[in-house]
Amino acid sequence: MTEQLFYRFIKLELTQFVTTATDSVDDDNPAELSSSFKFGYNFDEEVVCCTTTIIITKESCQILRAELNSYFKLQPGSVASISENDHVILPTALMTQFASLTYGSMRGVIYAKTMGTKLEKIVLPPNDIQNIFTNPVKFQRPLSGL
């Protein structure tokens, strides 16, 4: 697909932010980070949701867990170009762009929410998201009338 897709960033929603075991932050042991991404699509609103989950652990103890949803409204012409029968196929390039924007937003959220706490020393590093998504995601329109 070479056609440019147009969208509008419409909303951020922090659905989870939990900090625990902050006493272990002061030691010199390295923190471990895991990040994950998932996507959803609302056919009625033509909106893609990208969810980023971050978990930071130290010595097998979770010290931070955060989940952030970013919502992107696709323009009608863009929806038509990625639609096929009763499916919408989200191309990997668009997934990468949405995940990158969501992850960058998460970096800011974690920075802002941990300022003035023991966790402010932990900075979420940049993430090279470009090679994470190798296959497009296919969303099927739900059956109506059930």
Side-chain angles (χ1 to χ4, degrees), residues 1-55:
M1 182 189 72
T2 58
E3 186 175 335
Q4 187 171 5
L5 300 174
F6 295 97
Y7 63 87
R8 184 170 48 94
F9 181 73
I10 57 173
K11 182 170 87 168
L12 277 177
E13 178 181 43
L14 184 63
T15 57
Q16 188 174 67
F17 191 87
V18 178
T19 59
T20 55
T22 56
D23 291 339
S24 64
V25 174
D26 292 331
D27 63 32
D28 292 332
N29 294 320
E32 295 179 23
L33 166 73
S34 71
S35 59
S36 63
F37 301 93
K38 71 179 176 184
F39 294 89
Y41 185 74
N42 181 313
F43 280 85
D44 295 331
E45 302 292 327
E46 298 179 334
V47 170
V48 174
C49 176
C50 176
T51 301
T52 299
T53 303
I54 301 294
I55 300 172

Side-chain angles (χ1 to χ4, degrees), residues 105-123:
S105 297
M106 178 67 90
R107 292 183 73 210
V109 165
I110 290 174
Y111 176 77
K113 294 206 53 89
T114 60
M115 277 194 324
T117 72
K118 289 182 178 185
L119 294 175
E120 73 182 353
K121 297 176 188 177
I122 297 176
V123 176

